[in-house]
Amino acid sequence: MLRRRILIALTGALVLALAAPASQSYAQKRGGVLNWFAYGDPARLDVFVENALISQQAVAGVFSGLLQDSPDDPSQIVPDLATSYDVSNKGKTYTFHLRKGVKWHDGKPFTSADVKATTDHIFDPQTKSTRCGPMLAPMVDKVTVVDDFTVRFDLKFAAAPFIPSVASAWCRIAAKHILERDGNLQQAKSQIGTGPFRLKRYERGSIIEWERNPDYYDPKLPYLDGLKQYILVGSARQLAAAKAGQIDAWDSWPPMDRSQWEELKAARGDSVVTYRWPINTLWAVHLNTVKPPFDNADMRKAVHLALDRQQLVEKGLEGAGTPCAILDPKLYGEYALPLDEVMKMPGCRPDKAADIAEAKKLVAKHFPNGVDIDVETRQVGNYVDRTQVVVAQLAKIGIRGKIRQLESAVGYAAYAKGDFTMIASQDNAMFLSDPSGIFSLLYIKTGGRNWVKWVDPKIDQWAEDALAEQVPAKRAAIYHKMQRLLLTEDTATVPVAWVEGWFFYDKKVKNFRSGNTVYDNNTFMKVWLEK
């Protein structure tokens, strides 16, 4: 049996953490409330069944996981509720040794029964877990309580991304007694965690507020007394708050565009640190395969061919993005199909003349006079502006779109029910820095965001094969095969671009770091304010 110290570099992870500030004493760091913002109202707070960043962000500091991405270095996985783990059975069994003396925010003790109750809950088909469930379920055979502070995960096969998945911000541990009492974590009263902060207040449409957990297992943390997330809907309100100094840092999503960044720099000058960052997020167009016209593979292909990714990056992302890739080489290295190959493929190549001509033929074959469709988008970020560009491009091939704007939470509910024809602009943030993430979210049958109900048995099988493959080069070959199929044969989730953008934090905010995904390191447990 091999005892492993939990300090693991993520394969393919983007390691671009901001430089750490000079060390200070604990007394110098303590105190203060950080002002942040959320781009929309989460409405529901259950991290196991919700998709939106705002739902996870609202309670990120409230819950702990077995493991976590290090607050000091996001490229490392470090202990959280588990202090260590053993690996046996040729990589198929993981035994986690849990931290003793941890209390839930209501004072009850944390034990392995809570871990078991959490995994039972997310694996239950009735729960309909959208992120943690689809990520872990393909790998995990069973979870067993060994004793009060030991829990064993038996895997179906030795899976390369198991540990990064366990550390994901979406796979936090919930209290057994809360799940039994409430059935889910939708309401504010259910947000009883073991994390560094407690949920103090949630006023719909106004504010989400945390306060320091005085019983956190590390008595020196968190440094902050609390954090306020003001619910600011719309880029104009968000930028105005940033320029006026009413918020201390920019939200994880949506990033600022170049013009907003320049406005902020002009207003705040040297009082802020500004930087550009890739947020490990794929902008995709989603085509509903159970509704006409995209129940037809020719019509799906026409959309893929017609989209001018280079123009969409320039107009929708102000040039900050990687067009057409299913995996971004900057983020996933050898697992990504090389961009020089991608950029030669129909639909992805910059010269659009032949692609547009072929797309027109495909549409005319089934709709000689063209076709009118509804095009859905959520009213967040710059989604409406991006959607207008997509609609204009598709009009050139005879697909005439009428934009249907939806409030953020309403939009997610509609997508989950299949109440859409085309989602023209949806950013899909990855929940771990492993190539399996994009496929388990979007492209396999059980994917948490496979709203389009598209299934290909080859993709499902290859995704499972890639999870089990331990040799990086062989694993990369499987992912290359998957990307080629999705870019050349058929898919209803059409990749547009990997998103980048601009961010800031006030210079009084110390130890603020961007994570490997938009979900990582927004617990703020080691952030402090300069006095």
Side-chain angles (χ1 to χ4, degrees):
M1 183 177 290
L2 174 65
R3 168 77 73 176
R4 298 183 68 179
R5 184 167 67 103
I6 305 177
L7 186 61
I8 307 165
L10 297 183
T11 302
L14 178 69
V15 186
L16 292 174
L18 302 176
S23 61
Q24 296 185 11
S25 73
Y26 170 67
Q28 288 176 304
K29 296 173 183 178
R30 277 284 288 119
V33 175
L34 186 140
N35 296 314
W36 204 29
F37 77 90
Y39 67 82
D41 195 319
R44 301 189 303 177
L45 301 173
D46 194 332
V47 295
F48 297 136
V49 301
E50 298 304 315
N51 259 295
L53 166 63
I54 47 176
S55 294
Q56 189 269 349
Q57 177 181 310
V59 296
V62 174
F63 291 93
S64 305
L66 290 175
L67 308 174
Q68 63 179 326
D69 286 351
S70 170
D72 295 314
D73 180 355
S75 70
Q76 305 295 322
I77 293 175
V78 296
D80 201 359
L81 293 175
T83 57
S84 63
Y85 64 87
D86 303 326
V87 184
S88 59
N89 192 22
K90 297 182 179 179
K92 293 174 62 178
T93 298
Y94 286 76
T95 303
F96 290 90
H97 305 280
L98 306 183
R99 195 179 298 274
K100 298 179 181 179
V102 176
K103 294 180 181 179
W104 293 100
H105 292 161
D106 59 6
K108 295 184 183 297
F110 160 75
T111 71
S112 55
D114 298 303
V115 180
K116 173 64 172 168
T118 299
T119 55
D120 286 349
H121 181 69
I122 63 172
F123 294 155
D124 184 345
Q126 298 302 313
T127 299
K128 298 181 180 178
S129 175
T130 57
R131 289 186 179 267
C132 188
M135 181 164 46
L136 286 179
M139 296 182 275
V140 177
D141 183 30
K142 63 180 178 179
V143 179
T144 305
V145 170
V146 178
D147 58 40
D148 281 352
F149 297 101
T150 311
V151 63
R152 185 176 68 243
F153 284 68
D154 290 301
L155 308 188
K156 298 172 184 176
F157 43 78
F162 174 67
I163 287 298
S165 299
V166 169
S168 165
W170 291 94
C171 290
R172 301 310 194 202
I173 302 302
K176 178 183 178 182
H177 64 280
I178 298 299
L179 291 173
E180 290 175 344
R181 185 192 74 186
D182 299 340
N184 56 50
L185 303 180
Q186 297 290 3
Q187 302 177 64
K189 70 173 184 177
S190 305
Q191 309 311 304
I192 304 297
T194 56
F197 293 95
R198 301 184 300 199
L199 183 65
K200 178 180 180 181
R201 178 167 59 130
Y202 169 36
E203 293 183 8
R204 288 290 308 275
S206 177
I207 192 171
I208 301 160
E209 190 171 359
W210 302 345
E211 63 183 358
R212 187 176 187 271
N213 174 14
D215 294 321
Y216 188 51
Y217 65 72
D218 185 339
K220 290 186 177 181
L221 297 176
Y223 298 136
L224 296 169
D225 287 335
L227 181 139
K228 294 180 179 179
Q229 297 182 47
Y230 296 99
I231 297 172
L232 304 178
V233 179
S235 59
R237 288 184 67 195
Q238 295 157 6
L239 182 60
K243 289 166 64 177
Q246 295 169 349
I247 56 175
D248 300 319
W250 195 261
D251 196 358
S252 302
W253 187 95
M256 289 183 286
D257 60 32
R258 186 188 295 113
S259 59
Q260 292 173 316
W261 173 61
E262 290 172 348
E263 276 192 58
L264 176 70
K265 286 199 302 180
R268 299 288 300 275
D270 292 338
S271 69
V272 297
V273 175
T274 60
Y275 58 101
R276 178 172 162 177
W277 193 259
I279 60 173
N280 212 340
T281 294
L282 176 65
W283 168 12
V285 170
H286 300 250
L287 309 174
N288 194 334
T289 64
V290 299
K291 284 186 175 182
F294 300 117
D295 54 346
N296 186 306
D298 282 347
M299 295 299 291
R300 299 195 292 268
K301 183 177 181 181
V303 171
H304 169 67
L305 290 171
L307 292 179
D308 184 338
R309 273 64 165 207
Q310 284 73 21
Q311 184 188 60
L312 287 168
V313 167
E314 285 303 316
K315 290 192 173 183
L317 303 176
E318 295 207 2
T322 302
C324 216
I326 291 177
L327 288 173
D328 187 341
K330 291 195 301 298
L331 298 168
Y332 294 97
E334 65 179 325
Y335 296 108
L337 206 58
L339 278 183
D340 58 356
E341 178 180 345
V342 171
M343 291 300 115
K344 293 174 184 176
M345 292 178 171
C348 296
R349 53 195 177 188
D351 186 349
K352 297 299 296 181
D355 293 342
I356 295 295
E358 177 63 18
K360 285 181 177 179
K361 289 179 182 178
L362 291 170
V363 173
K365 174 182 174 182
H366 302 281
F367 300 94
N369 298 317
V371 62
D372 296 295
I373 66 168
D374 285 334
V375 178
E376 284 75 19
T377 192
R378 291 163 54 233
Q379 295 170 316
V380 294
N382 64 348
Y383 278 3
V384 175
D385 293 341
R386 291 195 216 171
T387 296
Q388 290 170 344
V389 182
V390 170
V391 167
Q393 290 184 355
L394 295 182
K396 296 178 182 178
I397 64 168
I399 298 177
R400 297 178 295 269
K402 179 182 178 182
I403 298 176
R404 179 182 168 217
Q405 298 183 36
L406 304 171
E407 185 273 331
S408 179
V410 172
Y412 272 127
Y415 300 166
K417 292 187 295 186
D419 182 18
F420 68 92
T421 301
M422 169 193 284
I423 305 167
S425 186
Q426 177 61 49
D427 286 358
N428 300 279
M430 297 301 100
F431 33 68
L432 72 161
S433 292
D434 185 88
S436 61
I438 188 71
F439 302 102
S440 65
L441 181 65
L442 297 177
Y443 293 109
I444 64 172
K445 182 177 180 179
T446 57
R449 284 195 176 181
N450 188 2
W451 300 314
V452 300
K453 304 303 180 187
W454 179 87
V455 178
D456 186 311
K458 294 191 295 296
I459 291 293
D460 284 353
Q461 184 59 56
W462 291 341
E464 184 173 318
D465 293 344
L467 287 175
E469 181 54 64
Q470 300 294 306
V471 179
K474 292 181 179 180
R475 197 168 182 235
I478 298 171
Y479 285 124
H480 286 189
K481 196 164 50 171
M482 296 170 74
Q483 291 167 79
R484 289 190 183 101
L485 184 152
L486 294 167
L487 288 170
T488 60
E489 294 185 32
D490 184 30
T491 181
T493 301
V494 183
V496 176
W498 286 80
V499 181
E500 298 180 21
W502 288 267
F503 298 85
F504 90 93
Y505 60 92
D506 193 292
K507 284 188 176 177
K508 70 182 178 185
V509 179
K510 301 301 180 182
N511 209 32
F512 183 86
R513 299 168 182 275
S514 292
N516 296 313
T517 80
V518 298
Y519 306 117
D520 299 324
N521 294 321
N522 53 10
T523 63
F524 291 92
M525 71 172 72
K526 286 195 173 181
V527 170
W528 73 88
L529 298 177
E530 187 174 64
K531 296 183 180 180

